[in-house]
Amino acid sequence: MNEGNPTHVPPGEQQEQAEPLTDGDFELAKPAPVAPGGVGGGVDAGDAAVPGTAEPVVAEPGPDPLGPGGPAVERPKPLHDPDPYSTPPYGEPGPWAPAPPVQHPAAAPAQGAAVTAPAAAQTPAQTTPPAPAHAAPPQAVPAAAPAPAAPSPAAPVEPAASAPGAAGVAGASGDPWQRYDPWAAPSAGQQPLVTGPLQQTGAGVLTERQRRRRGRRMLLAWTLLVAVVSSGIGGLVGAYVEREGVGDVHLPQAGKVPAGRAPDSVAGIAARALPSVVTLHVRGSDEAGTGTGFVLDARGHILTNNHVVQPASSGGEISVTFSSGATAKAKVVGHDSGYDLAVVQVSGVRGLTPMPLGNSDDVQVGDPVVAIGAPFDLANTVTAGIISAKERPITAGGEKGDGSDVSYVDALQTDAPINPGNSGGPLLDSRAQVIGINSAIRSADDGSDSDSGQAGSIGLGFAIPINQARRVAEELINTGHATHPVIGVTLDMGYTGDGARIDTKAGDGGPAVAKGGPGDRAGLRAGDVITEVDGERVHSGEELIVKIRAHRPGDRLRLTVEHGDEREASLVLGASEQN
């Protein structure tokens, strides 16, 4: 039975319908048997009708395939109506499509060897004689499918012979696959199929250049991979070694630093100044203290604060320790409580290095400074800072209660740490020159202005300007006492208004404006309020005293006075040995 493969009818010929089978399929009739004596004279014995099938289809004569003069060949017609929709397998009849032969790969001969054709297989004696030259070969019609039954292994179907005569018969019949059976075993005389090497499949084959390029790429890729893996492993090992360490621990040490320092550095300033700085240990009958001073000249004069040597004023002793460690006894040459300055002198000491004195008028706010002293008896202590402010009116002392021991200082303010024991020490500029004498601090506990207490520094230190200290020191060395510039008036220290008011009377009951004094000659009167000195505002009596003490006796001042109206007064400062 052959389903879905109707026979194709040449164009222009009519098709006849056959009665369809009861089960919906159709069956083609076998071609007429061929006579034994010729190719186209009859039908094969095997082409008889199969019992139980439909009536065979009558073949119609067709054109001669070999030429217009050949005999007509009958063709079978399908037993079904043509499909109006041309849908296979029931559409327009088409040619039969036999299965393609199985192609076995053959062994390739060696290069240069002669190729020999295999011997033709022996075929049975059933052959078809060649057709006459003018006879038309019959049209090959496939036989109907046999009934489903197991084939007999004793009689296998042999493939068609490969002899030239057999090839001619197959070509004449038009069906080269008529006697082909891919499942049949080879006959006794047939050469067995030999499997050879696989042939080229059609895939692209790399050239020698492409293979070299691919090799280089693979080499580069592996090199990069090995480098990345090696670096990762090395980093992990290095991190472990750095963290855990290997072997003994050896702490690093910095290289040698040059011994020299810049002259304007703190180290350079301290190196030049320390040989001139001394530490004073003062012991009196009632108390003792420690302070600092510095050498003024080669004669052994040392400048310090008055409150440092105060315990020795009633017969105590003073010991001076130099930076080299040498000690010597000292005596007081002169002191003044109003300026809080004192000069002591050592004897029998050679090789002293005087400290150079600078100019405090040239100091600017923000200039770097260095303070040297012995805070809490720690000799040769060096601290550094800047000038925070100038002309700060500072008062210190006043323990006696009569004002005779009160010091009035137009001070330099610094944030260089100054502690108890720094009193009398030098405040140096960047050229290692003295611009002030450390005298007082503002502490946070009790508000004391003097560093004689035990409060620590909070960055508010005050120094007497060196220009004022030089004049006082010269007077103390030359005469043993210092003179104070005065205006010849008594001030009302309890006045709470803005400015300094002249009191109504003096402390001894006399007039507040001394007759014939500088103030009297300038026209000052009791009750006048002095608001400015040389154009600078004055807010209290203490500030007026500080402004006056910043000058020498004989200097001229211009005062702004208010007493109902505002006026200016010019006067020349007088001198007084009293505070």
Side-chain angles (χ1 to χ4, degrees), residues 157-201:
V157 179
E158 297 181 0
S162 59
V169 174
S173 63
D175 185 5
W177 313 107
Q178 183 176 1
R179 305 182 63 85
Y180 173 74
D181 185 1
W183 310 110
S187 60
Q190 186 177 2
Q191 183 181 358
L193 299 177
V194 181
T195 58
L198 297 179
Q199 302 300 313
Q200 185 61 256
T201 60

Side-chain angles (χ1 to χ4, degrees), residues 389-449:
K390 294 175 60 177
E391 300 178 356
R392 289 292 193 194
I394 298 299
T395 60
E399 286 81 3
K400 294 182 178 181
D402 58 358
S404 60
D405 61 342
V406 177
S407 61
Y408 300 93
V409 179
D410 193 18
L412 298 173
Q413 179 181 333
T414 179
D415 66 346
I418 298 175
N419 294 283
N422 279 97
S423 293
L427 185 67
L428 308 170
D429 61 8
S430 59
R431 293 170 292 184
Q433 296 178 354
V434 182
I435 58 173
I437 295 91
N438 301 322
S439 178
I441 62 173
R442 180 70 67 181
S443 58
D445 55 351
D446 57 1
S448 175
D449 289 329

Side-chain angles (χ1 to χ4, degrees), residues 296 301-306 333-344 357 407-409 437 464-485 548-553 576-577 579:
L296 291 175
H301 292 107
I302 297 172
L303 181 63
T304 186
N305 283 134
N306 178 69
V333 175
H335 64 92
D336 187 273
S337 61
Y339 290 109
D340 193 20
L341 292 174
V343 176
V344 299
L357 306 181
S407 61
Y408 300 93
V409 179
I437 295 91
I464 301 171
I466 192 60
N467 289 357
Q468 180 179 343
R470 179 190 293 109
R471 179 185 65 84
V472 175
E474 290 175 352
E475 291 182 351
L476 293 176
I477 292 173
N478 294 327
T479 64
H481 57 81
T483 58
H484 304 149
I548 294 172
R549 293 285 177 91
H551 295 79
R552 294 173 177 266
S576 174
E577 294 184 0
N579 187 17

Side-chain angles (χ1 to χ4, degrees), residues 53-140:
T53 60
E55 185 176 351
V57 179
V58 179
E60 295 181 359
D64 184 6
L66 299 178
V73 180
E74 295 181 354
R75 296 180 181 275
K77 296 185 65 176
L79 302 180
H80 62 82
D81 293 335
D83 185 7
Y85 304 103
S86 298
T87 305
Y90 301 108
E92 184 177 357
W96 292 329
V102 178
Q103 300 182 9
H104 300 281
Q111 185 175 3
V115 180
T116 59
Q122 298 295 329
T123 59
Q126 183 180 359
T127 58
T128 303
H134 299 286
Q139 179 69 25

Side-chain angles (χ1 to χ4, degrees), residues 532-538 547 551 556-560:
E532 292 181 2
V533 176
D534 289 338
E536 295 182 4
R537 191 71 182 179
V538 174
K547 295 294 183 184
H551 295 79
R556 179 174 292 277
L557 299 181
R558 180 171 49 85
L559 306 178
T560 301

Side-chain angles (χ1 to χ4, degrees), residues 3 100 149 203 224 248 265 270 301 330 344 377 383 385 446 454 522 538:
E3 295 182 5
L224 293 177
D248 297 336
S265 65
H301 292 107
V344 299
D377 203 13
T383 58
D446 57 1
Q454 296 299 310
V538 174

